[in-house]
Every structure is written in C-alpha cells, then in structure tokens.
Amino acid sequence: MSASEASELAALRESEGRLNLFINYAPVALAMFYLQMRYLAASRRWATDFGLADKKISERLT
C-alpha cells in the first residue's frame, strides 16, 4: 500500500467515525438506508421511536 493510499484510507476511517458520532448522538430520529431499505445507520432516537431500542440495529446493518 502506498503512502497516498494509506492516507486516503485513514481519511475515510476518520470521516466514517465522524458520521457515526453524528448519527449516534443526534437529538432527532434519523436513519440512512440502502436502496433495498437496509439500514446504513440509525440514531438512538430512531431506535427508541420505532421500538428497536432493545434490538441491535447493528445486526440489521448490511
């Protein structure tokens, strides 16, 4: 892996981390889905509002 590829990978991981923090701590219900309506991400509020708080949404993420 070249230095530029490693740098791009690190930047991607950092960006994904920021997105996860935003979604997990958003004070509103929000979720992101693939076209097939599979979860990309969901906030804690989404899980609570839609009765998924006791289930692991991460298992539904594909």
Side-chain angles (χ1 to χ4, degrees):
M1 179 182 294
S2 70
S4 65
E5 289 173 332
S7 176
E8 287 179 25
L9 184 58
L12 178 61
R13 286 185 178 150
E14 183 179 332
S15 178
E16 287 175 344
R18 281 193 307 270
L19 177 62
N20 285 330
L21 285 173
F22 170 75
I23 290 170
N24 286 332
Y25 294 100
V28 297
L30 68 100
M32 295 170 49
F33 299 93
Y34 286 108
L35 292 175
Q36 300 85 7
M37 294 305 290
R38 294 184 180 151
Y39 287 100
L40 275 170
S43 68
R44 293 176 185 177
R45 180 70 182 261
W46 176 273
T48 301
D49 288 357
F50 290 93
L52 302 172
D54 58 338
K55 299 177 183 170
K56 288 187 112 184
I57 291 180
S58 62
E59 291 175 356
R60 296 172 176 245
L61 300 175
T62 54

